[in-house]
Amino acid sequence: MFGELKRMNMRQVALQILNILTIGASALMIWKALAVVTNTESPIVVVLSGSMEPAFHRGDLLFLTLPRNEQININDICVFKLPERPIPIVHRVIKLHEDTATKKEYILTKGDNNALDDRGLYDRRQMWIHKEHVVGKVKGFLPYVGMITIVMNDFPWVKYALLGVLGLFALIHRE
């Protein structure tokens, strides 16, 4: 395996590194294009807990959209991000409220597998989330495809080992 790397001259190694960088840049461009098309900062998310079972299980990959003119309705499954929490939450909308004075829309959510609504998750003394907190509405999913992400977050050494093996393979593979 390393013999192949030793047989390469500097120009070939530089070309392989540029190929790896091109693949990374292409992946980033595809992600940004998906974000523009779906109108959401995060078009794909992974379910990290069992709070939405039986609808979604831990490790399911969710596809999100946030159309500009589409309303959020009761029973929509939304992904929202609160200012004080770094990880987005996937839960169902159970109540809507509109402030007549400001015309601002407020949302109350709950996980399907939770006994109580999400007021305990919201910021202190916050009873509703705002529409601005919504990252996207779930439009589709692939079951358990995101488990590799969970494994890599729970066991960081797996992530580094996988990246190392893939990087080494890409570097020594001449095609």
Side-chain angles (χ1 to χ4, degrees):
M1 181 186 280
F2 292 108
E4 186 73 24
L5 187 59
K6 288 179 182 178
R7 283 190 291 251
M8 293 177 141
N9 63 31
M10 271 311 268
R11 187 176 186 161
Q12 290 172 322
V13 172
L15 184 62
Q16 291 299 88
I17 291 172
L18 283 175
N19 284 338
I20 294 169
L21 292 174
T22 302
I23 291 168
S26 297
L28 183 62
M29 287 189 294
I30 290 169
W31 179 261
K32 287 299 181 182
L34 273 174
V36 168
V37 168
T38 60
N39 190 38
T40 178
E41 67 186 55
S42 188
I44 300 171
V45 296
V46 176
V47 177
L48 298 177
S49 74
S51 67
M52 279 303 293
E53 290 179 1
F56 302 117
H57 298 275
R58 189 169 193 254
D60 289 354
L61 195 68
L62 305 179
F63 301 103
L64 309 179
T65 62
L66 190 61
R68 288 178 188 16
N69 301 329
E70 193 174 318
Q71 292 281 47
I72 293 175
N73 300 309
I74 293 175
N75 284 328
D76 283 346
I77 299 173
C78 293
V79 175
F80 60 93
K81 190 170 181 183
L82 299 172
E84 304 219 354
R85 292 184 175 261
I87 298 174
I89 300 168
V90 182
H91 281 173
R92 189 179 303 274
V93 175
I94 59 170
K95 285 185 186 175
L96 296 171
H97 172 69
E98 186 175 322
D99 188 346
T100 54
T102 62
K103 298 290 184 197
K104 199 167 190 177
E105 190 174 319
Y106 295 96
I107 302 164
L108 181 63
T109 57
K110 176 185 174 294
D112 290 356
N113 202 21
N114 294 348
L116 301 172
D117 61 37
D118 289 344
R119 289 183 173 147
L121 296 175
Y122 302 159
D123 294 336
R124 202 168 183 208
R125 288 179 268 159
Q126 183 179 0
M127 300 301 284
W128 305 80
I129 60 171
H130 306 289
K131 190 174 180 181
E132 300 86 51
H133 292 131
V134 175
V135 175
K137 292 168 61 170
V138 176
K139 293 298 180 184
F141 76 102
L142 286 173
Y144 302 110
V145 174
M147 277 309 275
I148 187 70
T149 303
I150 292 174
V151 168
M152 286 192 294
N153 282 333
D154 289 350
F155 306 102
W157 64 268
V158 173
K159 177 179 9 181
Y160 298 123
L162 184 63
L163 285 173
V165 168
L166 288 174
L168 186 63
F169 180 73
L171 191 60
I172 64 171
H173 203 295
R174 289 186 184 217
E175 292 178 18

